[in-house]
């Protein structure tokens, strides 16, 4: 059968591309949302000046030297992603429907570590040396969301058809090729016209324009999952129980998975007639029922960085700590594919198709990170701790895996966008611990992280973002940061036996900034109604409110 169909009205009278290397993606892969032990989570991550915990090593390597004992910890946990997604079929941002709530849970292991303490054989200014290997999760990518709405003005297949116009089928990319082979789009008019129409669009009898002839139930699923974990090889030194310094050489590894599924179904299939050309001058009429398009992206990476830090006891109760981490050099590998399917009342025309799998290798330089903290401790009673962290995302840069930076025609433009539209991210972490009895500790913490994304004003005072930037010739006059903040609230408790065993438990809620996503691959197109009038709509818009709830338990042994 020739995969060609025509829709005749006379019978019935985000976007994200396969190429992931942009500033948003670089920022997402670079960002840290620290996990570690239940103690470090319960204290809101305010660990830079405290130490004494294997979760603190990712903030300040000197922390492993604070205690005078060896320790082993393991921390299993559960993550719960909760997303509320509102859907605006018009894309104008003023017609959002009631949100759809999506919840998803995952098991994780945010901490596993061993730390050993060594004492010098002879009198030395070094009281002890600590050495350890610790794996701490530094981010999770868990988010499952679903948006739903009704659309009688545009369609996903109509957007695909608009993206295909002017191309021969042999010139299609993976997304269009899957849609074409999946009986979702087809040619109309003379063979040389290179005009395409979606299976859920109708053509006027004179084939002057196409339109959506009825209501479509649309559903957009956007799922991500995966983690970033740093395996730190740590060494630290205790100087007379007054000053501690140390360093990590860390191997971060990440796996990120993204799945976008967009489906649409005719409320009344009879309103969506389709005529298939199944042979020479042979036509078969049926009705469109539904279609689905899937895009899957897998990213895996491994890298290296180093972190240096110290903790100084200013008094018996007051201590100060600071650390700096080099930019991480990440080597990344990606694969992606598209799938398309469609169903008709005449099931012999049902079809599904998959693209070939695309692959790409590249490298990314992430921001450097600076931490500083101050803590006040009262022996046997509790503590207060406050941290500040600075990350500079303007230094993010894509480059070749062999270490050379890409040429002007490939990567210089994107790296310029990274430098121009990304800046500083500020984070504040605070924690408090109270011991009602010597063996029990109660904890609470709070953190916030500002977004590094910037926008500029042009010479006319109009806002310019990384997505709307027109090129080097565009005059940018003044930059501003978006007012987007990630908040974290945590509580926890700990038990320390008189022997070697100890245990900690923590609950945390992380609330992320609201994000918007446009699910059509090719964005909006010039939508018209059946009379040929242009409709003032864009492609659908989703508004996603997202939170992560963590429950973690640390089991530890001192020896």
């Amino acid at each position: 059968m020739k995969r060609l169909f025509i829709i005749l009205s006379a019978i019935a009278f985000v976007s994200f591309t396969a190429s992931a290397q942009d500033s948003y993606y670089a920022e997402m892969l670079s960002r840290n949302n620290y996990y570690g032990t239940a103690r470090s989570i319960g204290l809101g991550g305010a660990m830079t000046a405290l130490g004494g915990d294997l979760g603190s090593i990712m903030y300040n390597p000197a922390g492993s030297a604070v205690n005078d004992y060896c320790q082993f910890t393991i921390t299993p946990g559960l993550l719960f992603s909760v997303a509320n997604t509102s859907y605006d079929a018009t894309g104008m941002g003023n017609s959002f429907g009631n949100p759809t709530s999506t919840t998803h849970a995952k098991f994780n292991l945010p901490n596993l570590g061993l730390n050993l303490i060594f004492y010098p054989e002879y009198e030395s200014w070094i009281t002890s040396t600590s050495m350890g290997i610790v794996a701490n999760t530094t981010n999770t990518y868990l988010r499952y969301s679903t948006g739903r709405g009704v659309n009688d003005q545009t369609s996903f297949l109509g957007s695909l058809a608009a993206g295909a116009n002017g191309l021969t089928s042999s010139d299609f990319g993976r997304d269009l090729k899957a849609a074409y082979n999946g009986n979702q789009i087809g040619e109309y008019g003379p063979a040389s016209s290179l005009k395409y129409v979606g299976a859920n669009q109708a053509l006027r009898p004179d084939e002057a324009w196409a339109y959506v002839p009825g209501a479509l139930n649309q559903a957009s699923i956007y799922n991500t999952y995966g983690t970033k974990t740093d395996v730190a090889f740590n060494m630290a030194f205790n100087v007379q129980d007054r000053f501690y310094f140390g360093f990590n050489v860390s191997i971060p590894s990440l796996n990120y998975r993204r799945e976008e599924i967009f489906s649409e179904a005719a409320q009344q299939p009879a309103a969506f007639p389709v005529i298939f050309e199944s042979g020479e001058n042979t036509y078969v009429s049926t009705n469109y029922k539904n279609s689905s398009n899937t895009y899957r992206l897998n990213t895996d990476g491994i890298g290296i960085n180093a972190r240096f830090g110290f903790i100084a006891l200013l008094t018996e109760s007051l201590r100060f700590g600071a650390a700096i981490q080099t930019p991480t050099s990440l080597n990344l590998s990606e694969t992606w594919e598209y799938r398309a399917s469609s169903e008709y009342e005449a099931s012999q025309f049902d079809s599904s198709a998959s693209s070939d799998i695309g692959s790409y290798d590249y490298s990314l330089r992430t921001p450097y990170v600076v931490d500083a903290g101050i803590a006040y401790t009262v022996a046997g009673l509790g503590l207060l701790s406050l941290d500040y962290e600075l990350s500079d995302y303007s230094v993010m840069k894509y480059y070749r895996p062999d270490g050379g930076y890409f040429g002007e025609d490939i990567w210089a433009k994107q790296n310029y966008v990274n430098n121009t539209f990304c800046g500083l991210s500020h984070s504040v972490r605070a924690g408090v611990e109270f011991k009602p009895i010597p063996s029990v500790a109660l904890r609470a913490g709070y953190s916030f992280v500002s977004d590094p994304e910037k926008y500029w004003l042009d010479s006319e005072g109009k806002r310019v973002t990384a997505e709307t930037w027109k090129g080097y010739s565009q005059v940018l006059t003044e930059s501003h940061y978006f007012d987007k903040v990630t908040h974290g609230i945590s509580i926890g408790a700990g038990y320390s036996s008189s022997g070697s065993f100890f245990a900690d438990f923590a609950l945390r809620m992380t609330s992320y900034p609201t994000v918007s996503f446009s699910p059509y691959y090719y964005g909006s197109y010039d939508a018209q109604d059946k009379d040929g009038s242009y409709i003032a709509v864009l492609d659908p818009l989703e508004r996603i409110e997202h939170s992560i709830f963590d429950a973690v338990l640390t089991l530890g042994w001192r020896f």
Side-chain angles (χ1 to χ4, degrees):
M1 179 187 110
K2 182 179 179 183
R3 296 188 183 276
L4 171 67
F5 51 84
I6 307 172
I7 304 174
L8 298 174
S9 63
I11 298 176
F13 292 134
V14 168
S15 137
F16 290 94
T17 66
S19 178
Q21 299 84 34
D22 56 18
S23 57
Y24 168 82
Y25 201 65
E27 177 194 335
M28 185 271 295
L29 294 180
S30 300
R31 183 175 288 278
N32 290 323
N33 178 30
Y34 300 107
Y35 278 74
T37 64
R39 181 172 185 253
S40 62
I41 292 172
L43 288 169
M47 301 296 293
T48 302
L50 287 177
D53 179 277
L54 294 189
S56 71
I57 289 176
M58 60 186 168
Y59 301 100
N60 190 341
S64 65
V66 171
N67 287 333
D68 59 358
Y69 51 78
C70 306
Q71 58 179 311
F72 168 80
T73 60
I74 182 171
T75 306
L78 284 174
L79 294 82
F80 300 89
S81 168
V82 179
N84 293 306
T85 307
S86 302
Y87 193 86
D88 180 357
T90 71
M92 304 300 287
N94 54 12
S95 300
F96 286 104
N98 294 327
T100 300
S101 182
T102 308
T103 303
H104 196 85
K106 287 275 189 181
F107 172 82
N108 69 338
L109 191 69
N111 162 262
L112 180 65
L114 173 67
N115 187 58
L116 303 175
I117 301 294
F118 301 92
Y119 293 93
E121 296 183 6
Y122 305 99
E123 184 175 347
S124 170
W125 60 279
I126 298 291
T127 303
S128 63
T129 300
S130 66
M131 298 179 65
I133 177 170
V134 183
N136 285 319
T137 295
T138 52
N139 205 355
T140 179
Y141 305 117
L142 183 65
R143 188 185 77 189
Y144 279 58
S145 65
T146 301
R148 300 181 187 277
V150 177
N151 197 337
D152 60 1
Q153 298 175 318
T154 68
S155 73
F156 188 91
L157 303 191
S159 178
L160 288 174
N165 282 333
L167 300 175
T168 65
S169 59
S170 61
D171 293 328
F172 286 166
R174 290 180 174 88
D175 51 354
L176 293 176
K177 190 169 293 184
Y180 187 73
N181 292 334
N183 277 354
Q184 292 184 341
I185 61 173
E187 304 99 326
Y188 70 92
S192 61
S193 65
L194 300 181
K195 294 181 180 180
Y196 297 85
V197 65
N200 50 24
Q201 290 181 295
L203 281 170
R204 294 290 297 172
D206 59 2
E207 299 184 349
W209 64 82
Y211 65 94
V212 175
L216 295 166
N217 293 328
Q218 295 183 324
S220 174
I221 295 173
Y222 191 122
N223 298 335
T224 64
Y225 59 94
T227 58
K228 179 157 68 80
T229 299
D230 282 25
V231 177
F233 298 88
N234 170 262
M235 177 175 284
F237 305 90
N238 174 354
V239 181
Q240 305 300 315
D241 294 323
R242 304 295 300 179
F243 185 79
Y244 310 88
F245 67 96
F247 66 91
N248 296 338
V249 175
S250 295
I251 308 297
S253 62
L254 66 86
N255 62 89
Y256 172 79
R257 304 292 182 262
R258 185 167 93 211
E259 181 181 59
E260 300 172 30
I261 303 174
F262 193 92
S263 61
E264 44 195 6
Q267 289 188 351
Q268 297 180 345
F272 293 84
V274 181
I275 292 181
F276 279 87
E277 183 186 69
S278 60
E280 189 70 26
N281 297 320
T282 302
Y283 301 90
V284 178
S285 178
T286 185
N287 295 318
Y288 164 88
K289 290 173 58 179
N290 60 72
S291 57
S292 178
N293 294 78
T294 300
Y295 166 59
R296 290 192 175 96
L297 171 68
N298 299 330
T299 303
D300 296 283
I302 191 168
I304 188 169
N305 64 52
R307 184 180 282 251
F308 308 88
F310 71 88
I311 298 173
L313 272 63
L314 306 180
T315 69
E316 290 301 319
S317 298
L318 186 65
R319 57 180 65 189
F320 174 78
I324 184 169
Q325 179 180 297
T326 67
T328 300
S329 176
L330 279 173
N331 292 324
L332 300 164
S333 297
E334 287 183 357
T335 61
W336 66 93
E337 65 174 326
Y338 294 89
R339 296 181 181 179
S341 64
S342 56
E343 292 186 359
Y344 299 88
E345 289 188 337
S347 60
Q348 67 266 33
F349 298 113
D350 295 353
S351 184
S352 63
S354 298
S355 72
D356 60 335
I357 297 176
S359 62
Y360 191 61
D361 296 332
Y362 61 100
S363 295
L364 172 66
R365 184 181 72 189
T366 73
Y368 63 82
V369 181
V370 178
D371 288 275
I374 190 167
Y376 188 83
T377 64
V378 179
L381 184 60
L383 61 89
L384 294 170
S385 184
L386 182 68
D387 278 15
Y388 168 75
E389 181 175 283
L390 174 71
S391 302
D392 185 1
Y393 286 80
S394 68
V395 305
M396 296 186 303
K397 185 168 286 189
Y398 291 110
Y399 60 98
R400 290 198 305 264
D402 62 11
Y405 290 98
F406 285 111
E408 180 74 20
D409 59 332
I410 300 177
W411 278 111
K413 197 171 190 178
Q414 181 56 56
N415 288 331
Y416 176 85
V417 171
N418 294 347
N419 180 261
T420 304
F421 291 94
C422 295
L424 301 177
S425 173
H426 307 274
S427 175
V428 174
R429 305 184 292 262
V432 59
E433 180 178 275
F434 171 67
K435 292 186 174 182
I437 58 176
S439 61
V440 175
L442 304 177
R443 306 180 182 108
Y446 169 76
S447 66
F448 78 81
V449 183
S450 67
D451 195 279
E453 186 180 358
K454 297 192 294 185
Y455 67 90
W456 288 76
L457 300 180
D458 64 12
S459 56
E460 298 178 354
K462 296 180 180 179
R463 179 179 291 193
V464 181
T465 67
E467 291 76 21
T468 61
W469 179 65
K470 297 178 181 178
Y472 297 113
S473 61
Q474 187 172 20
V475 177
L476 305 176
T477 61
E478 184 179 332
S479 67
H480 301 269
Y481 283 92
F482 285 98
D483 186 19
K484 296 188 292 185
V485 177
T486 299
H487 297 275
I489 301 174
S490 59
I491 57 173
Y495 167 75
S496 181
S497 71
S498 58
S500 67
F501 176 73
F502 62 94
D504 298 289
F505 178 74
L507 298 172
R508 180 174 66 178
M509 180 188 75
T510 305
S511 179
Y512 295 92
T514 299
V515 298
S516 297
F517 170 62
S518 297
Y520 287 7
Y521 295 164
Y522 289 88
S524 60
Y525 59 94
D526 292 332
Q528 296 172 266
D529 61 20
K530 67 178 182 179
D531 297 321
S533 299
Y534 286 98
I535 309 172
V537 294
L538 301 173
D539 52 320
L541 184 66
E542 298 175 52
R543 185 175 60 198
I544 305 172
E545 299 173 350
H546 177 229
S547 297
I548 288 283
F549 296 85
D550 295 288
V552 295
L553 173 67
T554 295
L555 304 175
W557 290 265
R558 297 178 289 256
F559 56 94

